[in-house]
Structures are given as C-alpha cells and as structure tokens.
Amino acid sequence: MRFLWMTVALALCGCSTPKPAMEQANHGVGLIAQLESSLSEFRRVEKNSLDARAESLLAQRKAIAFIDREKQRDLQARVAAGDKLSATLIDNLVANTEGLALIQAEYADTNARNEAAVAALLAPIPNSRSATGTAQARLAEMGEELGWDIRRSELQAFIKAVKDSVEDGKKKIEEAEKKAND
C-alpha cells in the first residue's frame, strides 16, 4: 500500500502543465490582443463614418429649411406685388389656422421621430475591452507553469480523495461480507 502512495506521489510531483497546452493558452492571449486591436480600429472607422453621416443629414435638413424659407419669401413677394391668387390663398390659409397648427404639430412630431431614428442608427459600437481582457487574463493563467505550492495542494487533495475512496471501499466490502455471512 505504501508503495502505491509513493508511486502516486512521485508521479504527481513530476507532473507539470503540458507544453502544448501552455503554448495554446499563450497563443490565445496573443489572438485576443490582436482581436481587441482590430475591434478598436473598427470602432474608430465606424465612428468616423457615423460622424460623416450625421453631418450629411444635418446639411440636408438645413437645405430643406432654406428652401422652405425661400418659398415663404417668394409668397410674400407675390402678395406684395398684387398677386390676387396668392392673397386669396393666404386669406384661406389664415382662416384654416387650426388645421395649419395640426399640420405643424405633425411636422414637429415627424421631425422628432426622424431625429430619434437617426440617433438610434448612429449609436456607437459598445466597447468589448473588459470582456476580452477577462478572457485574455484567464488564458494567460493557463499559459503559466503551476507553482510548487499549488501542485503540492493538488497532490494532497488527490491523496486524500484516494485514501477516502479506499476506506469507503473497505467499509463496503466489510458490510457486504457481513450481509453474506448473516
């Protein structure tokens, strides 16, 4: 029995993390670093693209507002020049101010929804650095050789588990023999 314990102890003391496993873990650490670098560059490029889109959308809205203003100026110039149709049209529109107020409210609501939709489309890509950093740290731990203290505690736990199993086995054998004799 002592020979078995000595053999197990010597075998486990000589155990270490297999070199291919450590290399694989260290390779994983490097790959995650490359991934995070690529993701950072991707986020930078996407942010620049989103900024350009936002500028374009704002320029389009300014152009629309300019055209609306020019239409109003044109209408006022026609009225001032004596254009009877434009004056009649304006009188009719003034009479329908309630309808115009509703139209204006719908216009403001549409603009607010458009702005919210554009803002949702232009949301930045979330940062993944903490998640990849955690995975990288765990892989780095796997890429290191276990220290003597850890290996010794693992050996002691193994020896205790084997000893408990042997004692449990002996009890079960005694119980079985006792039942067989009864």
Side-chain angles (χ1 to χ4, degrees):
M1 182 73 165
R2 285 190 172 248
F3 178 72
L4 174 68
W5 290 113
M6 292 292 237
T7 306
V8 168
L10 287 173
L12 287 176
C13 285
C15 288
S16 66
T17 305
K19 188 125 177 104
M22 290 184 350
E23 288 174 356
Q24 192 75 19
N26 288 327
H27 182 66
V29 170
L31 286 176
I32 288 175
Q34 289 176 350
L35 170 69
E36 189 55 46
S37 174
S38 296
L39 285 174
S40 294
E41 178 63 16
F42 177 72
R43 280 190 287 274
R44 185 189 67 76
V45 169
E46 273 303 300
K47 183 183 178 317
N48 289 344
S49 175
L50 293 175
D51 290 347
R53 288 181 194 162
E55 285 180 32
S56 175
L57 288 171
L58 289 175
Q60 291 172 8
R61 288 176 185 252
K62 285 181 181 179
I64 290 170
F66 175 79
I67 290 170
D68 287 343
R69 186 190 71 189
E70 292 303 309
K71 284 187 338 189
Q72 290 299 321
R73 284 184 179 176
D74 183 51
L75 180 61
Q76 287 176 355
R78 286 180 182 201
V79 170
D83 183 352
K84 300 291 184 200
L85 292 176
S86 295
T88 306
L89 177 62
I90 290 173
D91 290 340
N92 289 341
L93 289 176
V94 169
N96 294 321
T97 54
E98 187 174 306
L100 290 173
L102 288 174
I103 291 170
Q104 179 61 33
E106 287 176 14
Y107 172 73
D109 184 52
T110 300
N111 279 341
R113 282 189 313 233
N114 286 339
E115 288 174 9
V118 167
L121 288 173
L122 300 179
I125 297 171
N127 194 338
S128 60
R129 187 170 301 280
S130 64
T132 56
T134 301
Q136 192 174 22
R138 298 264 166 78
L139 279 172
E141 290 173 6
M142 290 173 53
E144 295 176 2
E145 182 69 43
L146 295 177
W148 170 248
D149 292 339
I150 294 172
R151 289 183 13 210
R152 185 184 63 215
S153 68
E154 294 281 331
L155 174 63
Q156 288 172 340
F158 176 75
I159 291 172
K160 184 181 180 320
V162 169
K163 182 179 177 186
D164 291 346
S165 176
V166 167
E167 288 175 5
D168 188 45
K170 284 181 182 179
K171 286 180 186 177
K172 287 181 181 179
I173 290 172
E174 287 175 7
E175 288 174 7
E177 287 176 351
K178 193 177 190 183
K179 284 185 182 180
N181 292 333
D182 287 339

